Amino acid sequence: MIPEESRFESDPDELVPEDPGLPAGWQVASPDPSDRFDVARLTHLLRAHERHGRGWAGAGVDDVLVEVSEAGLRTRENVVVRDEAGEIRAWGSVHDRAGGRMLYMHVVERDLPERVADACSDVLLEWAAGQALAVGTARGIAVQQIDTGAFADDERQHRWLAAAGFDRVRTWWQMTRPVAPEEADLVEDPASWTGRGVRFRQVRQGADGMPEVGDVRAVHDVLEEAFRDHFNSREETFDEFVHRLQEDPGHRWDHWWLAELLDESDPDGPGEPVGALVGTVSEGSGGAPDGSYVSYIGVRAAARGRGVAKGLLRTIVADAARRGRDRVGLEVDADSSTGADQLYTSLGWRTKYVTESWHRDVPVPG
């Protein structure tokens, strides 16, 4: 269940040493989501971090507000380092993602002198370790994982994480595929079509635009089963799953699809949910068209080899083309032995940049 109150410690002074080694006049504090200057500064820092790591920036104000706004603080907490003039120079964010798994974001201004940048990083990492203890204690678990990401070429971030006890555990290919207007006819209708005894359809929505709960639960159940044997998979409750995905600025209910295996004797019947895809909108920058993104795609083991994944991917490509979009992105586990990357490559996806997962396990005293 989503907690009524955050499991995190809201006061950074409780987690950071009295003398954190920062320059005179610098302070550790919480950002103010109601202050447009704070939000603008965090957006600038995040975009500069992305630009250095992969060559371009994609984040916007909405991405920052997901982390810092009052609406998100039941499952998130943030800390910033301010200089003597009050300017934010570093930002850390934690997300209580699922039992035993805490996501962590770590951003330090690029133009700081090395000694000052190191001190800022130390503050953020110490704070994150304290938050891991807080959320692990609240959940009553023995070990709390901190899961953070880094761009593959960001040696500064790698140095900081390794020194703080993190291990590089996984590599991810961030792939993209161009979409041509004529691919709007790649499937008969992205809203619903049938092929090889499988129906592919969007989750049903009522007149109010909200989806049928049964369909959303079917998506959750399929993905939970499909990812059960995947790297670092943690059980996520239905409420956690829906709450988290709705927070994404690119979330749209008409970007959720189910694949249903049909009964040959009743092809118009309800069918058995065997695959699911959750997509989002990726906003274009600098006047470029929007794109679509595959946040999740999963197929139940019993239905693999029937073209379900390929059908779902063709569906989101056709849907993107009909919406006038020029690309579909996704992430694939480069270290997985499933061969998923071969499927994506065969359908036109190519790696655009590479990221890494770094983990640290924090023991939680009983």
Side-chain angles (χ1 to χ4, degrees), residues 47 51 54 56-59 282-291 327 352:
R47 288 178 62 82
R51 195 174 293 112
R54 67 185 182 191
W56 80 95
S282 298
E283 289 190 5
S285 59
D290 289 344
R327 68 198 181 280
K352 193 168 186 180

Side-chain angles (χ1 to χ4, degrees), residues 22-23 26 81 89-90 106 108 112 115-125:
L22 296 168
W26 288 43
V81 179
R89 300 292 186 174
H106 179 106
V108 179
L112 293 177
R115 182 188 64 81
V116 177
D118 287 351
C120 289
S121 175
D122 289 345
V123 165
L124 299 183
L125 289 162

